[in-house]
Amino acid sequence: MDKESLKKLMALIDDQDIIDTMGRVSDNLDRVDRMKDQRIRPDSLKARAKDIHALLDADLEERVRTASSGLALVLTGGGGKGSYQAGACRALLEILGKDDYSSRITGVAGTSAGALNAALFAGGGPDIMEKLWTIMEESRMNGTDGFFSPSEENDEYLEELIRTSGVVEKITPEGLLTVVTAFDYESGYPKDFILNQLSEQEKVTCLLASSAFPIALKERELGGARYIDGGVPVFGSNMPVAPLYHLGFRRFVVIHCSSRAEVSEWSEIGKLNTMINREQYYNGAVFVHLYPGEDLGGIFSGTANFNHDYIMKNIELGYRDMIARQDDLKLLSEQPGPYDEVHVAGGERYRSYGELLDNL
């Protein structure tokens, strides 16, 4: 949607709160235009594989070499819908604990709410994930004037939740490899961070940056660069498979926060995203995708929804969905050829992520 179209739409709306929110969206479209300009300049192109390897010191590089033979967990973004992943992760660990067709999870990556969940998973597992989501106070996440207000109340509360969860200090160089993705506002490209080798303050900043939903939460600065939500549409990386793939992982469980029907509506954007970020090919890898069996809602009814009953429903649904689709996990024992990739979703097999998107 361009600014002119947005102005026409706003003229038809008489709800002042919605008008104010859309006004802030309009202001931010200028940023998107700048990102587009930066993207097409040859000097702005980055090799994501090179970037992620540049983050490794000698000790971590050796650990990654060993860990990459295990299973990678990838958690997409989705705001309040991210609570679905807490229940799904509990069921996943129960299934993996009693079946021998896959080894343990040795790497986790996430974007936005998925980044928060990745840190919680690495620092405490499903118990901590569920605890944080269930104690989350809707009134404090929304702030006095709503989730999309210019107030910083929700920013401060989210930081409080992260710090008091106790997981940041548990993500150590020896712990589960944990990667989060934010969006570099200046370069217009996703940026991956390996939390295991960062200071506690840097870890918190990375998690807040990756979760900085445009308009609702403020951008964050790290190392002289400014970052926002890692799942920015089209240009961002809402399914951060790439960093773990480039580190050598070849078996993935991807837990989405949007139903297949919802993803289908935006499949063209998904395809554009994979092409722009050069994420369309994962030769030699196998993927199991879990999509919510029910629609978790849109921007206001899902992404910005932190109601306790809604969150509890999502957690239960995530658990049930993963249990129901546990046979899909058997794919993880397969060894595709070096130039092949296999995806399974809902019991159906696909030869590429693009083919999966075509058949949602």
Side-chain angles (χ1 to χ4, degrees):
M1 177 181 291
D2 57 27
K3 294 188 71 171
E4 194 59 38
S5 299
L6 189 60
K7 288 179 182 178
K8 292 179 181 179
L9 179 59
M10 290 171 66
L12 303 175
I13 299 174
D14 58 8
D15 185 303
Q16 189 59 46
D17 288 339
I18 296 178
I19 291 174
D20 291 343
T21 296
M22 296 184 73
R24 290 193 291 275
V25 172
S26 177
D27 292 340
N28 277 271
L29 285 174
D30 287 334
R31 297 186 179 188
V32 174
D33 288 338
R34 289 200 296 275
M35 292 173 191
K36 288 179 181 177
D37 291 340
Q38 291 165 338
R39 272 301 173 101
I40 62 176
R41 293 205 311 266
D43 61 349
S44 292
L45 295 177
K46 294 183 179 180
R48 201 165 178 185
K50 181 179 179 181
D51 288 349
I52 193 72
H53 277 282
L55 299 177
L56 302 177
D57 58 28
D59 291 338
L60 192 55
E61 188 168 12
E62 181 59 35
R63 283 203 58 245
V64 166
R65 189 176 295 112
T66 301
S68 62
S69 63
L71 180 63
L73 175 64
V74 176
L75 304 171
T76 70
K81 296 189 286 187
S83 51
Y84 172 86
Q85 294 171 340
C89 284
R90 176 175 294 282
L92 175 62
L93 290 191
E94 289 181 9
I95 296 166
L96 296 180
K98 64 184 179 182
D99 289 305
D100 59 5
Y101 50 75
S102 67
S103 59
R104 64 188 179 91
I105 296 171
T106 53
V108 58
T111 291
S112 196
L116 176 61
N117 280 335
L120 294 171
F121 184 88
D127 287 345
I128 295 297
M129 294 175 75
E130 291 184 13
K131 179 181 178 181
L132 183 136
W133 282 105
T134 54
I135 67 171
M136 193 175 289
E137 298 178 35
E138 179 182 16
S139 60
R140 297 190 67 186
M141 278 303 297
N142 288 334
T144 304
D145 301 315
F147 185 66
F148 290 100
S149 71
S151 161
E152 295 184 2
E153 293 172 301
N154 46 9
D155 275 288
E156 294 167 355
Y157 180 53
L158 182 57
E159 181 169 355
E160 177 186 322
L161 285 173
I162 292 171
R163 291 188 181 279
T164 58
S165 69
V167 302
V168 170
E169 55 266 35
K170 294 179 181 178
I171 302 174
T172 65
E174 298 76 29
L176 179 67
L177 182 68
T178 308
V179 179
V180 302
T181 300
F183 186 80
D184 186 334
Y185 172 72
E186 297 299 334
S187 73
Y189 273 82
K191 172 70 174 180
D192 304 306
F193 297 91
I194 301 176
L195 296 190
N196 305 73
Q197 55 190 17
L198 300 180
S199 69
E200 291 187 12
Q201 179 56 52
E202 288 171 331
K203 293 172 193 174
V204 172
T205 301
C206 282
L207 292 172
L208 291 171
S210 182
S211 304
F213 194 90
I215 306 169
L217 300 169
K218 67 179 182 181
E219 62 193 34
R220 298 284 169 162
E221 184 172 321
L222 189 65
R226 292 183 295 162
Y227 297 96
I228 57 175
D229 193 307
V232 172
V234 180
F235 301 105
S237 182
N238 197 44
M239 191 182 77
V241 166
L244 291 180
Y245 178 84
H246 293 315
L247 289 176
F249 285 84
R250 291 296 180 267
R251 294 185 296 153
F252 299 86
V253 176
V254 183
I255 303 178
H256 299 263
C257 292
S258 299
S259 68
R260 296 184 70 172
E262 182 180 354
V263 175
S264 178
E265 292 179 8
W266 300 94
S267 63
E268 292 305 316
I269 290 180
K271 293 173 190 175
L272 182 59
N273 176 286
T274 59
M275 287 188 289
I276 285 179
N277 291 310
R278 291 183 285 180
E279 297 176 339
Q280 66 268 47
Y281 300 117
Y282 295 112
N283 295 337
V286 296
F287 298 83
V288 174
H289 297 267
L290 180 71
Y291 292 92
E294 300 175 12
D295 188 354
L296 301 186
I299 293 289
F300 293 99
S301 61
T303 305
N305 188 351
F306 301 96
N307 175 269
H308 181 74
D309 291 341
Y310 171 78
I311 285 173
M312 294 301 294
K313 178 182 176 182
N314 287 350
I315 292 174
E316 176 62 25
L317 178 63
Y319 182 88
R320 293 201 317 266
D321 283 351
M322 181 62 81
I323 294 294
R325 297 256 52 97
Q326 60 182 296
D327 283 349
D328 288 357
L329 296 172
K330 295 177 181 177
L331 175 74
L332 298 170
S333 62
E334 294 193 11
Q335 297 291 330
Y339 302 106
D340 299 321
E341 59 183 281
V342 182
H343 297 255
V344 64
E348 299 294 328
R349 296 169 63 100
Y350 306 96
R351 294 172 297 178
S352 68
Y353 185 57
E355 183 177 310
L356 186 154
L357 290 175
D358 284 335
N359 289 277
L360 287 173

